[in-house]
Amino acid sequence: MSNVNNILLICDDEKTTEIMLKKMALLRDNDRIQISKSESVKKIISDEDFQVVIFSEIENDRNLTLKIIKQIKDLKPEINIILQTEETDPEFLLATYDSGVYDFITFDDENYEVMIKILNGLKFANKKQIINREKIFLKQFGAIDPKTGLYKYSVIKDSYADLAEDKRFRNGVLAITTLDDSVKTKVSSNRLSQIIKNCTRESDIIAQNRGGIYYLFLFNTNIDGAKNVLQKIQDKMGNEYPIRTGLNKIGIQEFSTLDKNTKDSLESAIQNGEMCVSLTGN
């Protein structure tokens, strides 16, 4: 049975725990905090329901720090992780971010700064709960695939005119991606769909079409930015499972034109064995 704590502090050092609790003293009484050692992470995350986890990095062990972050996100993807770290290495910080960290705090942060970051994490968690609830309704109306949780192609096609009123949408890129024909029978397309969700922003729109084809509407980016996203997806899939993608800047095109131009780019990528192709060159 779950308790009513919504914040978990994971810390192996008693002095650090004491410092972090003092920094969280400004939180409201109903923002209850539970404390755990890193060795108990798997059990406590599995058994309890938390919205925010404050994780104090494992000193002198970056790999274990990253492993625990991934373990938390694998068990409860909805949890927002705030990493307490004194690291300044950009490569490590980006690695923790890619593994699922929501925000960062340090010993130098003022108490009110720590409080604001935690409250923002709680607020974001509540918004995600609302979104998940709305997705349940969308599934009932057949707008979302029940297996992958992605929008259906037909729904996006029918809604395109309304979506195109958003300037950030028009300033984005459509990527139509699929697995190379040589590996479609060797790996589940559900793996690709999950990796796509993990590598794109929540503001992006991902739709699924028949034949293991995915439409990625990447907001407010250019072709180079879209290629970076696709490279991240390819890295997660592994080189033994190549992806093929057509790219096209969205702009003010009608859906039929955008769809055809991007499919032509996808066909070129498939024929030439390239990860990404943009025939329009924009």
Side-chain angles (χ1 to χ4, degrees), residues 104-128:
F104 303 89
I105 56 178
T106 71
F107 285 144
D108 292 333
D109 287 343
E110 297 290 343
N111 291 8
Y112 74 88
E113 293 177 303
V114 173
M115 179 191 70
I116 289 172
K117 290 183 178 184
I118 294 173
L119 291 179
N120 282 339
L122 292 170
K123 185 184 294 185
F124 186 50
N126 288 331
K127 286 186 176 180
K128 285 196 289 187

Side-chain angles (χ1 to χ4, degrees), residues 15 59 80 88 109 115 162 164 167 172 186 209 229 250 278:
K15 185 176 180 180
E59 189 174 359
N80 292 325
T88 57
D109 287 343
M115 179 191 70
D162 293 326
K167 184 177 180 180
K186 298 179 182 179
N209 202 359
V229 173
I250 295 173
S278 176

Side-chain angles (χ1 to χ4, degrees), residues 54-69:
I54 298 134
F55 173 34
S56 182
E57 64 182 345
I58 307 300
E59 189 174 359
N60 300 322
D61 198 335
R62 291 180 173 183
N63 289 334
L64 183 55
T65 295
L66 291 169
K67 180 180 178 181
I68 292 173
I69 292 168

Side-chain angles (χ1 to χ4, degrees), residues 228-244:
N228 288 337
V229 173
L230 271 300
Q231 185 61 62
K232 188 182 294 186
I233 293 170
Q234 183 63 81
D235 291 343
K236 295 288 185 182
M237 283 296 299
N239 292 331
E240 65 270 30
Y241 301 115
I243 60 172
R244 305 296 177 220

Side-chain angles (χ1 to χ4, degrees), residues 202-214:
E202 292 197 12
S203 59
D204 296 329
I205 297 174
I206 315 300
Q208 181 177 354
N209 202 359
R210 289 172 295 182
I213 295 176
Y214 298 89

